[in-house]
Amino acid sequence: MPKKEKKAKTPLSDEEQLLLFQQKLLAEEEMAKKKERLLSQFLKDKLAKEEHNSALNLNKINTQWRTVLREVKTRELHKDIEILSQTFERVVDCKDNVIKSLAKDLSEAEEQYARALRSHLHNVDQLLALQRHRLSLLEESYNMELEALTKEFETERKTIIDQHEKEIHYLQDIFMAMEQNYIDSEYESKLEFQSMWNDLKNMNLEEKHFLRLHLENIVEDLWRKFQDVLKNYTDATEDRKAAFETLQVKDEKSSKEIEVQMKKIQKLQDAITISKGKIMIHSRESEDENRYIRNDKELVLVQLRKLKAQRTQARAASQKNLVKLTLESNATLKALRKIVDKGEKILKLAEICRKFETEEEKVLPFYSSVLTPKEQEGIEENNLEELTEELAKVMVDYTGMENFWKRYNKVKLEQLSLQHRRAQLLDINGKLREMLKQYLDGISVSDEVLSQLNPLFIVNYQSNLPQPLSIPIAHPGSTSPPAPWRDQRRSFFLGSS
């Protein structure tokens, strides 16, 4: 037992400590990862809720803004509809006058057309009567000429038929005489031919008998010689005979092949002649087609030249337009950059001015008019002008600038009021300085002070100094200017409006 306790109390080795440290680190990393996962999930859920709420709020704002825009748009549309209705009534009146004038012109034109139609129909009837009379005269002359021609034709026909019959009888007589002469000459020639044939037959029989005897002797001699020569020949040409038979078989085969080939050649020649004929036909057709194609090619080349010229002109024009467009785009970009810089400057100045705005200006940035209704009516009577369509369009375009001009006028008025207030304060300051100087001069005694007016010299409760003007001084807590300044500000506003 004491040995086991010693073993349990033995310190851990470096490797075991390192393993334990690594296990602790892994556990800490897992805990940190779990915390990060939980935190990211919480943030995701919060972000989803915020997005959902922002979408709902945005939809609410959009719906309210749409209602406001619809009201503004309906007012504008009502004004536009009133203007358009007035213009439409004017246009309708003009159109009615035009339609009335056109109706008068149409009635006059219809009357003129009816008169012209009546005169035209009268002229047509006269022409038809003349044509019918002319046709009747032509028909009578045609019938008279036809009767004369039929009479001439009948007389000529009778004379031709009589002459034809006479010639037929004459030819029949000549034919009979010639036939009789031919029969007589034929009989005589047959008799002469029979006699000559008998004589020649007898002579030929005698010559034949003599030649038969002579030829039999010659044939016997030749047969003997032939038999001898045949034996010698057969003995000498047995090998050649076998070769000849083989060659004969080959010759038969080759002759058959030659016949087949000759038939093929004949077919090919026929096909060649047909194809030559087709080639000739196709060549003629192709020449015609080539001629048409050449003409089309020339026309296409002419059109191509024209199109190339047009393309060069269009390219030059497009190049000029591109140069012009680039110059104008550069100019517009510069102008837009200036406008953007100006807008940025204005926005920066607006942010700076926003810091110096009072609480009242932040709550009510656009002040209402300080003019009375009578003053407003007087201004409207002075600035009375006929409202034309172009002026209405211009006024609609500049309606969005009303609030801007209000704030600008307010700032301008405040600037002028501050300048005026500054001038007043400078004047007051100068007078106060002068009074202070006089007071200090009255306290101190010197030759220079005695030579000038002195407030210490008082006779009958009055000093020899001029009395100072009553100067209104504004309290530091009050924001409204004094009464004369208010009157002056009101007069300035009336003049600017």
Side-chain angles (χ1 to χ4, degrees), residues 135-149:
L135 286 172
S136 62
L137 293 173
L138 290 171
E139 189 175 0
E140 288 176 358
S141 63
Y142 171 73
N143 292 322
M144 291 169 68
E145 289 177 0
L146 183 62
E147 288 177 358
L149 288 171

Side-chain angles (χ1 to χ4, degrees), residues 263-287:
K263 289 178 181 179
K264 288 181 180 180
I265 288 164
Q266 188 66 32
K267 288 180 181 178
L268 290 171
Q269 285 179 353
D270 295 334
I272 286 163
T273 54
I274 292 164
S275 61
K276 281 181 180 179
K278 289 180 179 179
I279 287 164
M280 290 294 288
I281 293 164
H282 287 303
S283 64
R284 290 172 187 168
E285 292 177 355
S286 63
E287 285 177 358

Side-chain angles (χ1 to χ4, degrees), residues 445-483:
V445 178
S446 63
D447 295 331
E448 185 179 359
V449 171
L450 292 173
S451 63
Q452 295 177 359
L453 296 173
N454 197 335
L456 296 175
F457 293 109
I458 299 169
V459 179
N460 296 323
Y461 301 102
Q462 289 184 358
S463 176
N464 59 354
L465 294 175
Q467 291 297 324
L469 296 170
S470 61
I471 299 164
I473 298 169
H475 295 284
S478 64
T479 57
S480 62

